[in-house]
Amino acid sequence: MDGLPRMARLTLAALMAVLSACTTLTRLGAVPSELQDEARPDGIPDARFYPQQLADSAARLQVRIRWPVSGHEPQAPDSSNTDAGCDMLAVSAGGDRGAFAAGLLSGWSQTSTRPRFKVVTGVSVGALIAPFAFLGPRYDHVLREVTLSTGPESFFHRRSLISGLLGDGFASSEPLERLLTTYVTGAVLREIADEYRHGRDLYILTTDLDAGVPVIWNMGAIAASDSPDALMLFRQVMRASAAVPVAVAPVLIPVTAGSRHFQELHVDGSVTHQVFLDPFLLPQLQSSDVQASAPTCRAFIIINAQMDSSPSTTPRRTLRIGERSIRTLMQVEAFNDVAGIYAALQRQDIQFKLAYIDSTFQVAHPHDFDTSYMRALFSYGQRLGSGTYPWRAAPPRAQPSNLSANVNPR
């Protein structure tokens, strides 16, 4: 009897070894730390940068918003590219809750008051929305179609348990790749390139898992490059930003450094940030060359999650505890990201505008990318956007809470 469990363990170990040998996934090596700063996708300069590089020395900043002030104007816009002003938009991660941002933007378009944003950023599902939000209301139909006409199988393909354990994720993003091929076309890339040349910027965040750092991709520079690989890289970055580690296979991006070839393994940008509007990317309104008559700038932050949810009982079940823990971690990260953006904007006298899913939205969410849930959330966002939406002027935790109000200070 004692020998049977041991034999079973040995048999299982041998089976796993055989299966592992049959499913070995190969890749080029990661970029060595000493070559990290010079690693670039082939033929596309200024394609991306690391926030830490900017924090270390602002003088080294290579990619910067082209601020339209006297003496520093970008290329003169033509009749189809009027000045975008200085409004900014950041769209957060959130999985299928991205239907909220899609609906909010679509409803906002109906009021004819939606700004033509100078800067748009996106993380995870926000990265899938950002390019179309950047191009404006003419592409709202894409947000509607993807949100209302697709199901889970349109984004990811589930693998078997064994394939997931021995592969690089429990799902493949090949369906998402096909979706991107349909909507992110050469024509879309040319439009983004044209807007970039006229002073507008589009940024998407991924996480370089090899280096363990966030990476900000300059999607306008990629689109405007002459590289024949520009469209492929553009789609790769969008797919990588939505590749939740373990759940979805990562994306390998080839780079060159020191005349050597490597592959970087990129995953969901939300591993490092739920939303971003890096302070080094913000227009420097305190600069002496900014005229006194400079327009009031606004930063609109859309969080595809609830930020004012009430406490609820967590069942004593392993999976439910894990699920609640991950959700709490993401919520705390979102709070911290929003608070950081708020502080940076306050220093530069830029108006802060925050939208998120209110706790009053209560619709059953049986599984990820449930079509009924996404449609309800899209409609909810659309109703808010088409009305007089009360954008929050401060993060929730910047406002007095019931808890702090009950504390008797001494």
Side-chain angles (χ1 to χ4, degrees), residues 173-375:
S173 59
E174 290 178 3
L176 176 58
E177 185 176 10
R178 291 192 292 270
L179 202 64
L180 292 175
T181 300
T182 299
Y183 292 107
V184 183
T185 62
V188 166
L189 205 70
R190 287 189 292 273
E191 285 191 53
I192 291 173
D194 188 50
E195 296 295 337
Y196 173 76
R197 295 187 184 102
H198 286 83
R200 300 180 63 219
D201 293 277
L202 171 64
Y203 299 101
I204 283 177
L205 190 79
T206 67
T207 301
D208 180 345
L209 206 56
D210 293 323
V213 295
V215 180
I216 297 176
W217 293 86
N218 185 353
M219 305 302 280
I222 294 172
S225 73
D226 295 326
S227 172
D229 299 326
L231 182 57
M232 180 179 67
L233 178 61
F234 197 101
R235 292 169 178 165
Q236 279 184 317
V237 172
M238 290 183 68
R239 189 157 60 96
S241 187
V244 180
V246 181
V248 181
V251 176
L252 286 168
I253 297 180
V255 297
T256 301
S259 300
R260 296 160 59 189
H261 298 286
F262 303 95
Q263 282 182 317
E264 296 174 343
L265 191 143
H266 285 259
V267 296
D268 198 313
S270 67
V271 170
T272 48
H273 291 285
Q274 293 294 308
V275 66
F276 81 103
L277 197 59
D278 195 281
F280 288 98
L281 291 177
L282 299 178
Q284 300 299 306
L285 298 185
Q286 308 301 330
S287 176
S288 59
D289 59 4
V290 177
Q291 301 172 347
S293 60
T296 299
C297 298
R298 301 170 296 177
F300 295 88
I301 318 298
I302 301 179
I303 301 296
N304 294 301
Q306 291 183 339
M307 299 187 73
D308 59 355
S309 54
S310 302
S312 59
T313 302
T314 303
R316 293 182 61 186
R317 296 289 184 270
T318 300
L319 292 179
R320 296 298 295 276
I321 291 171
E323 178 187 355
R324 185 64 175 265
S325 298
I326 293 172
R327 189 164 70 245
T328 300
L329 177 65
M330 294 173 66
Q331 187 177 45
V332 170
E333 189 177 65
F335 272 119
N336 291 337
D337 288 338
V338 169
I341 291 172
Y342 177 73
L345 296 175
Q346 290 291 101
R347 289 193 297 269
Q348 300 198 61
D349 197 28
I350 300 174
Q351 291 185 12
F352 175 90
K353 304 285 186 179
L354 176 67
Y356 55 83
I357 304 170
D358 192 88
S359 59
T360 57
F361 178 78
Q362 297 291 333
V363 174
H365 192 192
H367 56 78
D368 289 342
F369 296 97
D370 176 71
T371 304
S372 297
Y373 174 81
M374 293 177 67
R375 288 178 177 175

